[in-house]
Amino acid sequence: MSHAVGLVSFLLYLVGAGILFGIGYFTTRQVFDLSEQQSLVVGAALPVVYGAGRLIWLKLGLPTPYSDYDRWRRQDHRDYWS
């Protein structure tokens, strides 16, 4: 089961990277009227910059949706699911 969840998570990351690539590529191509090669570079750089930002965010220990949920579960002693 955990392999399936890991695979789905990885595929979602790929879809997200593709969306960021598309946004970067088409924005630079259509709005800024750059060449195709420059647009490809910007499109490829956008997911990399986003990923690096996420890693830095985690390394600094800043809150994420998962950490906030875990903290909330630790502070709230009521058990809603049993």
Side-chain angles (χ1 to χ4, degrees):
M1 181 67 174
S2 65
H3 293 294
V5 171
L7 179 64
V8 169
S9 178
F10 178 72
L11 291 175
L12 286 173
Y13 281 126
L14 285 180
V15 168
I19 291 170
L20 287 174
F21 173 82
I23 289 170
Y25 175 80
F26 288 110
T27 300
T28 54
R29 191 83 171 125
Q30 301 297 325
V31 175
F32 299 114
D33 199 30
L34 296 177
S35 69
E36 185 174 357
Q37 184 177 7
Q38 290 172 324
S39 298
L40 286 172
V41 169
V42 170
L46 198 56
V48 171
V49 169
Y50 175 76
R54 288 282 307 227
L55 290 175
I56 291 169
W57 184 275
L58 291 174
K59 183 70 176 170
L60 291 174
L62 297 172
T64 65
Y66 298 112
S67 66
D68 283 352
Y69 174 77
D70 290 338
R71 182 178 47 116
W72 173 79
R73 289 288 292 152
R74 282 192 307 272
Q75 291 173 352
D76 187 3
H77 300 292
R78 293 174 289 181
D79 190 5
Y80 297 102
W81 294 276
S82 64

